[in-house]
Amino acid sequence: MKSNITDESDESSDCSDTTETDCNTSYFTSYENLEVHRLMLNDRPRTESYRHAILQNRALFQDKIVMDVGCGTGILSLFAAEAGARKVFSIEASNISLIARDIVRQNNFQNIIEVFSCQVEDFILPNSEKVDVIISEWMGFYLLHESMLDSVILARDRFLKDSGTMFPSKASIYACPSNLNGFYEQEIDFWDTVHGYDFSVVKQIVLQNKQQSPQILSVDNSELVAGPEIVKQFNLMNVTVEDVKQFQSKFFTSSMEKNICRGIVLWFDCEFPTELKSENSLILSTAPRCPPTHWKQTVIVLPTEISLQAGDVIGFNIKLSQSATNHRHYNIQVEVLSDEEDHPMPCNCGLARCKLIKTFMQEQDELDGNEVIDIS
């Protein structure tokens, strides 16, 4: 059973029949809507994570040169200036850059923060001086929607010193099967009875429509039917554009109790560096168990429901690839795997043989002195 969909959750940047230039124009124009910026600035987990990560690591910013890629209204640039940055180059391709300049002046940071109205691809660094830190809030739905990471990678390769730092420094995409009870109750089962009348003929039409594109929803943590699995991890210091163009992940997991799987939930975490090795990194998480963000979670609704008993093993292969017609969108393919498929190693599914192999591999890593990461 396969679900293969193209991400078109952002209609403002849907330009499959136009040129790449038109795609970019549409994309940047969409960010001239101040309501979009109000939504992002009002997202406390998002904005406070950046604020804490920057201000609690002043040594990484004090007297340093900083670049803010896609600065928007300039909030991250203001944080960097407050943290002691000597110079902040703020790059913004939309006309919101004109407002960002006014905000910078209004807060008396015009001697530190300089806002440039251009794409980072067209930016020329004054005096050919490289930067110490690159900050950017580039994440989209399921991390990669809008493909702004491509621009951040380009900025890193062109402008960041070899000793430089990326904020955030790491990012991970997670996936987990879900019963989607809240979604079904509100948007699908609603059609069973409407004001006392049988509207069930509409139900299947609505469900089929929902299966054609990713759904951006807030999923309750209680609706997850198994443990989450990592689909992909990115180290922002060395990830390449090729790394994000296409990738896939195969995993197996086991149901925690008798339940039903109606879809796959995707979310992401971002990790910020710390100046002291002994300190734990700050994590911005969009997981269902965490305070809600404007990213919510991304849901792939499966074409067929899967009934599960406690301990049942279920497997998936998830593939993401940039759309050939609009690189800011991704094709997302979810395939439900049969029990006969080979399991990846290590595997968190709970089968006895997988537990044994996983334990052996962890013991071997510990003997070799490698860090062991376990999210099961």
Side-chain angles (χ1 to χ4, degrees), residues 156-336:
R156 179 203 66 199
D157 293 345
R158 286 187 185 176
F159 305 123
L160 187 66
K161 294 177 180 177
D162 291 340
S163 59
T165 306
M166 300 289 290
F167 270 70
S169 57
K170 297 177 182 178
S172 303
I173 301 174
Y174 292 83
C176 189
S178 171
N179 56 36
L180 302 182
N181 282 345
F183 165 72
Y184 265 73
E185 179 180 347
Q186 295 175 26
E187 302 195 34
I188 306 302
D189 296 339
F190 163 83
W191 294 102
D192 285 335
T193 304
V194 179
H195 296 289
Y197 298 100
D198 185 350
F199 272 50
S200 58
V201 294
V202 182
K203 184 174 182 176
Q204 194 59 36
I205 298 172
V206 172
L207 181 57
Q208 288 174 351
N209 288 338
K210 297 294 186 181
Q211 292 167 346
Q212 300 306 308
S213 62
Q215 303 299 303
I216 307 303
L217 310 170
S218 290
V219 178
D220 192 88
N221 194 57
S222 65
E223 297 175 15
L224 303 183
V225 302
E229 294 288 334
I230 293 177
V231 174
K232 187 71 172 178
Q233 292 182 308
F234 300 105
N235 183 331
L236 273 296
M237 291 302 299
N238 55 37
V239 63
T240 68
V241 171
E242 289 300 315
D243 292 333
V244 299
K245 277 187 177 179
Q246 179 175 298
F247 55 89
Q248 61 182 331
S249 174
K250 175 182 175 182
F251 67 88
F252 289 82
T253 186
S254 56
S255 174
M256 294 180 286
E257 58 186 20
K258 183 178 180 179
N259 219 313
I260 189 168
C261 175
R262 296 187 178 112
I264 294 293
V265 180
L266 302 175
W267 67 84
F268 66 86
D269 289 357
C270 285
E271 180 179 331
F272 296 91
T274 60
E275 58 183 283
L276 299 176
K277 297 292 185 182
S278 59
E279 292 184 356
N280 292 327
S281 299
L282 182 87
I283 304 292
L284 166 60
S285 179
T286 63
R289 58 180 167 74
C290 295
T293 69
H294 77 280
W295 291 288
K296 301 180 182 180
Q297 288 85 41
T298 300
V299 170
I300 310 303
V301 183
L302 296 177
T304 304
E305 298 180 355
I306 304 171
S307 296
L308 299 170
Q309 298 296 322
D312 278 357
V313 173
I314 184 171
F316 298 93
N317 188 65
I318 299 178
K319 180 178 180 180
L320 284 84
S321 55
Q322 282 184 349
S323 169
T325 56
N326 180 1
H327 84 283
R328 297 197 180 278
H329 291 165
Y330 273 74
N331 296 316
I332 305 175
Q333 183 182 87
V334 175
E335 180 182 5
V336 180

Side-chain angles (χ1 to χ4, degrees), residues 123-136:
F123 179 67
I124 298 176
L125 199 60
N127 303 319
S128 300
E129 188 176 25
K130 291 204 169 185
V131 304
D132 300 288
V133 182
I134 290 179
I135 55 177
S136 181

